[in-house]
Amino acid sequence: MLLHKENITEIIPQKPPFVMVDNLLSADERGFKSTFKVEETNLFFKQGELQEPALIENIAQTVAAGFGYVDRQSGGKPKLGFIGAISKLKVHALPKINSEIETIVTHLYQFENVYLVKGENFCGQELLVECEMKIVVQ
């Protein structure tokens, strides 16, 4: 594990209660992995399930955490990034309370400061959400 929940806000711009990633498991040139526990106190927890916006934000924050970690390892400061577009979004299932989500982000393409990534959330072996995102990094 690269970063624990206690330190994640050092490398992402989001602050509680809008933090949707707990632990950064890996970060390299191929992509990033994170985990996130579903809690009833989450802003997007409704009717016994974590809603789609939280899962999409979890993917974006996994990207932010991964880039932030890589920047910090190379002696730089984490850069600010923005979602430029979301495409190919498919929602398969929503996680229940106390579920642990593993998020896998795969780098697909880069052109200058614009990155195309594929993000997937899993609860165990079950695919929850998948999409592609264009992320613009300042």
Side-chain angles (χ1 to χ4, degrees):
M1 187 169 316
L2 303 178
L3 265 173
H4 295 275
K5 184 176 185 172
E6 300 81 34
N7 305 101
I8 203 76
T9 57
E10 295 173 8
I11 60 170
I12 64 172
Q14 293 80 10
K15 302 297 176 219
F18 204 69
V19 175
M20 302 291 158
V21 63
D22 289 334
N23 304 299
L24 183 64
L25 303 179
S26 66
D28 59 34
E29 66 280 348
R30 293 168 298 179
F32 314 123
K33 287 185 185 178
S34 73
T35 60
F36 181 64
K37 185 176 179 184
V38 177
E39 297 179 356
E40 193 173 12
T41 57
N42 188 287
L43 295 171
F44 296 103
F45 187 80
K46 292 183 182 151
Q47 300 170 341
E49 298 175 321
L50 189 65
Q51 301 299 298
E52 296 92 336
L55 296 169
I56 295 166
E57 183 63 22
N58 169 262
I59 292 170
Q61 289 185 25
T62 298
V63 174
F67 280 138
Y69 181 82
V70 169
D71 288 342
R72 192 169 78 176
Q73 293 302 108
S74 62
K77 292 183 179 179
K79 298 175 186 75
L80 199 55
F82 302 94
I83 299 172
I86 298 172
S87 61
K88 300 181 182 177
L89 175 64
K90 293 181 185 171
V91 178
H92 301 281
L94 297 175
K96 309 286 187 219
I97 191 166
N98 295 325
S99 298
E100 183 160 276
I101 299 166
E102 181 174 278
T103 301
I104 300 172
V105 172
T106 306
H107 294 205
L108 298 177
Y109 184 76
Q110 176 189 354
F111 179 72
E112 295 182 7
N113 66 328
V114 179
Y115 296 82
L116 179 63
V117 299
K118 178 180 181 180
E120 300 170 299
N121 310 102
F122 293 89
C123 187
Q125 298 298 314
E126 183 180 24
L127 178 60
L128 302 173
V129 168
E130 61 183 310
C131 69
E132 289 185 2
M133 285 186 187
K134 287 183 187 172
I135 305 289
V136 180
V137 178
Q138 288 185 326

